[in-house]
Amino acid sequence: MTTARQTLRPTSAQLDAADPLAAQRAAFYTPDDGQLTAYLDGNSLGRPLDVTVASLQSFVQDAWGSRLIRGWDEQWMDEPTRVGDRIGEVTLGAAAGQVTVGDSTSVMLYKLIRAAVDSQPGRDEIIIDRDNFPTDRFIIEGIAKERGASIRWIAANPAAGVRPHDLDGLLGERTAVVVLSHVAYRSGFLADVKAITAKVHDAGALMLWDLCHSVGSVPMELDAWDVDLAVGCTYKYLNGGPGSPAFAYVNSACQDILQQPIWGWMGAADPFGMTDAYQPAQGIRRFITGTPPVLAIQPLKDMVELIASVGMDAVREKSIKLTEHAMNLADEMLVPLGVAIASPRDPAERGSHVTVDHPLFADVTAKLWERGVIPDFRPPHGLRIGLSPLSTSYAEVELGITAIRDVLLELQ
C-alpha cells in the first residue's frame, strides 16, 4: 500500500531530472558488455573516467615513452607534492606544502603515527576506537609493541560513532596521538573533526584523521580545523584505480618537529647527492621515502579536476540526497523484511554510504554480484551501499535496492 509520505516524495526519475550534476555521469567509463546493472560500491573502488583511458595512453607514449629518464628532471620529482597540493586545495581545505602522495594507506599511517609517538617523550599512549578499520588498529598494535607504548581503546557505539565525550577519561598527559576515522567504514558515521581535534589538543596530544571514506565526498577544512596529521586513500571517491597511492597531510606547524621513521633517498635533502648520511628534506618532502609511483598517480589527477570543476559543496549536496534516497527506499522495501538500517539518520552525521544489516546479507551480496548489482559486504551482517555522487544516479540506487529486496525474498 502506498503511503502519503511515499506519494509526496519525488521519484528516482524526478530526482535525476532535477539533478544539477546529472551530466557528470557521462564522464565515467561504462562497460557495454551488460555485466554492470547497478554499481553501489563507490566507497570501495571508484569507477574510471573515460578521459583516463586517453590520459594514460598519452602518458605512456609521451611523458614516459618519449621523454624517458628525462621525465624525472622535467616533472616527476615534484609529482607527489604537486598532486598533493591539488588534492589539498580541492578536497582538504589545505594550503600548499602540506600534502604528499605515495605509498599505501598502511605505510602512510605507520610513518605518521610512529613519528607522532616518537616526537613526544613521556607520552606513550595511543588512543583509537575498537571499531576502526583493521589496518589502522593493526598498525597501531605494531607500533605499540615496537615502541613499548600502550593503547587506550574507545568503546563507542559502532552505529553512533565516536563523539567528543567518548574521549573523556582516556585523554591525559601520557597521550601521544589519537587516531580516528572521519567517516566510519561500517556505519558511515561522520565524526566532528573540529571538536574532537580541539579536545585532543587541550590534552597536549596530536590528532591524526583517517580520511579514506570521506575524501572526495565530504568537504573538509583541515587547516581551519587545526588538524595535525591525516592520511587518505585515492581509489575510492578520488577514482585513482585499484592500489592507487595514498596521501599524507602534515600540518606545516608539525613538519619540522616530526621525524618520519622510514628514511629513503627521495625524502633526503639531496636525493641525487648520494651522501653518506641521511639528512631530511625541508617541508613535506621529508615524509617521502622511496621512488614515487608516478604512473599510478596519473588517474587520480583526472578525478580531482572533475571535482574541482563542480566544487565539493555540490558533491556533498548530491551525496546527502543520494543517501537520503537510499534510506527512504530501504525503509520501504527492506525494513519490512527484517533489515536494520545501521547508518545515522541525520545527514550531518553521515558520509556517502549507507549500511543495512541482515543475517543473510553475505549470501545476498554474492548473488547480487552475479547479476551485476554490486554493493559490498562487511561482517558480521552489513551490506554497504556506497554512493559516489558524480557517477551514481538516483535510478541506479532504486534499481540496486529493488534487487537487494528481490534476492532477500528468494533466500528467506
Side-chain angles (χ1 to χ4, degrees):
M1 181 175 67
T2 301
T3 67
R5 186 170 71 90
Q6 289 172 281
T7 302
L8 293 173
R9 185 182 305 134
T11 66
S12 296
Q14 290 170 331
L15 288 168
D16 280 325
D19 178 13
L21 300 183
Q24 306 304 327
R25 297 200 306 273
F28 294 85
Y29 173 77
T30 301
D32 57 8
D33 56 8
Q35 293 187 30
L36 182 63
T37 303
Y39 190 60
L40 306 179
D41 205 8
N43 62 313
S44 288
L45 180 66
R47 292 170 55 187
L49 290 161
D50 276 333
V51 70
T52 300
V53 178
S55 64
L56 280 176
Q57 181 176 1
S58 174
F59 181 87
V60 171
Q61 292 176 336
D62 300 329
W64 177 11
S66 297
R67 302 310 299 161
L68 292 170
I69 196 68
R70 292 172 292 185
W72 287 109
D73 291 326
E74 294 168 354
Q75 57 182 312
W76 298 338
M77 285 294 291
D78 293 327
E79 194 80 331
T81 54
R82 181 169 51 245
V83 177
D85 283 348
R86 191 63 173 146
I87 292 172
E89 177 187 7
V90 174
T91 69
L92 304 179
Q98 300 178 103
V99 181
T100 185
V101 181
D103 300 317
S104 67
T105 302
S106 298
V107 172
M108 286 293 201
L109 284 168
Y110 174 81
K111 292 200 290 190
L112 296 194
I113 297 169
R114 168 71 187 274
V117 171
D118 289 350
S119 71
Q120 301 172 89
R123 289 181 174 267
D124 59 355
E125 292 182 350
I126 307 169
I127 296 176
I128 187 171
D129 57 305
R130 289 194 179 277
D131 203 50
N132 213 314
F133 194 76
T135 203
D136 300 63
R137 293 184 282 106
F138 297 165
I139 291 292
I140 284 175
E141 289 182 54
I143 291 173
K145 183 175 182 180
E146 190 176 63
R147 306 305 293 161
S150 300
I151 304 173
R152 303 206 72 184
W153 297 96
I154 302 171
N157 181 340
V162 178
R163 301 176 186 274
H165 66 78
D166 290 314
L167 293 166
D168 292 343
L170 294 175
L171 288 167
E173 60 184 14
R174 292 179 59 190
T175 307
V177 60
V178 177
V179 179
L180 296 174
S181 288
H182 187 197
V183 169
Y185 84 100
R186 287 189 198 273
S187 68
F189 174 80
L190 179 63
D192 187 339
V193 172
K194 184 177 180 180
I196 291 176
T197 299
K199 189 160 189 167
V200 170
H201 286 171
D202 287 343
L206 295 174
M207 183 72 224
L208 185 148
W209 287 98
D210 181 331
L211 308 178
C212 286
H213 282 85
S214 58
V215 64
S217 67
V218 179
M220 292 176 235
E221 295 294 338
L222 298 189
D223 287 355
W225 295 337
D226 201 24
V227 169
D228 302 303
L229 306 165
V231 171
C233 65
T234 63
Y235 46 78
K236 301 181 189 297
Y237 301 110
L238 295 186
N239 302 61
S244 61
F247 64 86
Y249 165 89
V250 183
N251 191 298
S252 57
C254 298
Q255 290 176 10
D256 291 338
I257 63 174
L258 296 181
Q259 179 175 271
Q260 71 110 331
I262 307 179
W263 296 358
W265 75 308
M266 281 288 182
D270 185 9
F272 292 99
M274 306 303 163
T275 55
D276 292 334
Y278 175 80
Q279 179 66 36
Q282 294 296 310
I284 192 66
R285 287 201 66 90
R286 67 176 54 202
F287 296 91
I288 298 174
T289 299
T291 305
V294 175
L295 180 59
I297 288 174
Q298 302 310 306
L300 71 95
K301 292 161 62 175
D302 297 328
M303 186 61 179
V304 171
E305 294 310 316
L306 179 60
I307 293 172
S309 72
V310 301
M312 278 303 306
D313 288 341
V315 170
R316 175 61 174 161
E317 183 179 355
K318 172 79 177 287
S319 168
I320 289 172
K321 290 180 179 178
L322 279 172
T323 53
E324 196 74 17
H325 189 51
M327 295 181 94
N328 289 335
L329 292 169
D331 279 334
E332 294 166 11
M333 289 192 268
L334 303 182
V335 170
L337 302 180
V339 171
I341 294 179
S343 293
R345 294 281 184 171
D346 182 353
E349 295 186 342
R350 187 174 67 239
S352 205
H353 70 269
V354 172
T355 299
V356 287
D357 285 349
H358 191 281
L360 293 178
F361 271 163
D363 294 333
V364 167
T365 301
K367 287 189 172 295
L368 288 169
W369 278 35
E370 293 173 358
R371 302 177 188 188
V373 176
I374 308 175
D376 73 0
F377 176 77
R378 289 293 179 265
H381 306 305
L383 184 150
R384 296 192 309 178
I385 302 167
L387 306 174
S388 187
L390 296 183
S391 61
T392 308
S393 70
Y394 295 94
E396 190 173 13
V397 175
E398 181 168 359
L399 192 157
I401 292 177
T402 301
I404 295 169
R405 178 201 64 191
D406 292 347
V407 173
L408 187 56
L409 284 169
E410 292 173 15
L411 295 177
Q412 284 185 330

